[in-house]
Amino acid sequence: MPFNSLRLPLIGKLFPEAKVLLSIRDPRDVVLSCFRNHFDISSMTFEFLALDDCARFYAAVMELVDLYRQKLPLTLLECRYEDIVTDFDTTIARICAFSGIPQTDSMHEFARAAETIDRRNPSAAQLARGLYTSGIGQWRRYRDQLEPVLPILKNWIDRFGYPAH
C-alpha cells in the first residue's frame, strides 16, 4: 500500500517497535502504472490523471519518505519489486527474517490471496496471475511518452540504482 508511506510518522509514533517494509520499484514503471490504471478518484489518485502530475506526486512522496527515514526512528527494510519477482524465495526469506514471520509454502499461493482483495483493485488480477516479469521495465515501450517527465524522476532513478536506459 504505497500511500501508507505518507503515514510513517503516525506509524512511528503509535507503533515505535514496528518493522516497516519499504517496497521500491523503478520510478518510471511506478509512474506509468499509476497513470495507466483507473483508480477511484480521491485527493491522491487525482494526481494520476496527468502524467506530469503523476511524476511530481511520486517525487514529492519519495522526498517525504526520504525525510521520514532521516528524522524518524524507524526499523526499515528496503525491498525491490524486481527482486521479489525474479528471486522470490531469497527475497521473501530476507523479508521474513527481518519481520520475524516464519517462511511458509503458503506464501507461494498468490491465487488464494487474490480472492481476499477487492476485485476493483488492480492488484487482484495481478495476484491471480502469480509471479511474472513482464511488469519489469514496461516504461521502455513508452520511453517517448515518458521523456518529458524523466527529469522529474531522475533523482529517484539514480538514488535507487536503476539504469538510465
Side-chain angles (χ1 to χ4, degrees):
M1 301 299 294
F3 291 141
N4 285 344
S5 60
L6 298 174
R7 295 184 179 106
L8 284 173
L10 181 62
I11 292 167
K13 186 71 170 173
L14 294 178
F15 307 101
E17 302 300 317
K19 294 184 178 181
V20 177
L21 178 64
L22 181 62
S23 183
I24 302 295
R25 185 176 181 193
D26 187 316
R28 296 159 291 199
D29 280 331
V30 172
V31 168
L32 177 63
S33 177
C34 290
F35 179 67
R36 290 189 330 179
N37 278 299
H38 299 285
F39 295 97
D40 289 339
I41 297 297
S42 71
S43 59
M44 288 193 235
T45 61
F46 182 79
E47 300 296 334
F48 301 159
L49 297 176
L51 190 59
D52 57 332
D53 290 339
C54 191
R56 279 193 287 276
F57 184 69
Y58 174 88
V61 169
M62 288 298 103
E63 286 175 27
L64 276 175
V65 169
D66 194 45
L67 181 66
Y68 296 159
R69 290 176 78 172
Q70 292 172 35
K71 302 286 184 184
L72 300 174
L74 298 170
T75 303
L76 191 138
L77 175 68
E78 192 173 292
C79 180
R80 288 178 179 265
Y81 163 83
E82 296 85 358
D83 294 339
I84 292 172
V85 172
T86 60
D87 192 3
F88 181 81
D89 289 328
T90 302
T91 307
I92 293 303
R94 189 167 64 100
I95 292 169
C96 288
F98 168 75
S99 64
I101 296 171
Q103 189 172 359
T104 66
D105 291 339
S106 65
M107 292 178 177
H108 289 272
E109 297 173 8
F110 302 104
R112 197 184 247 165
E115 295 170 3
T116 66
I117 295 177
D118 185 339
R119 296 283 179 212
R120 294 173 295 170
N121 185 321
S123 297
Q126 293 168 348
L127 273 174
R129 286 178 59 190
L131 291 178
Y132 58 94
T133 59
S134 61
I136 298 173
Q138 281 192 359
W139 69 270
R140 288 181 178 92
R141 287 185 276 166
Y142 301 92
R143 183 187 318 261
D144 292 344
Q145 291 81 6
L146 288 168
E147 191 68 37
V149 301
L150 292 180
I152 299 169
L153 301 175
K154 184 180 182 333
N155 179 48
W156 301 105
I157 294 165
D158 294 344
R159 287 188 57 190
F160 294 144
Y162 287 97
H165 298 290

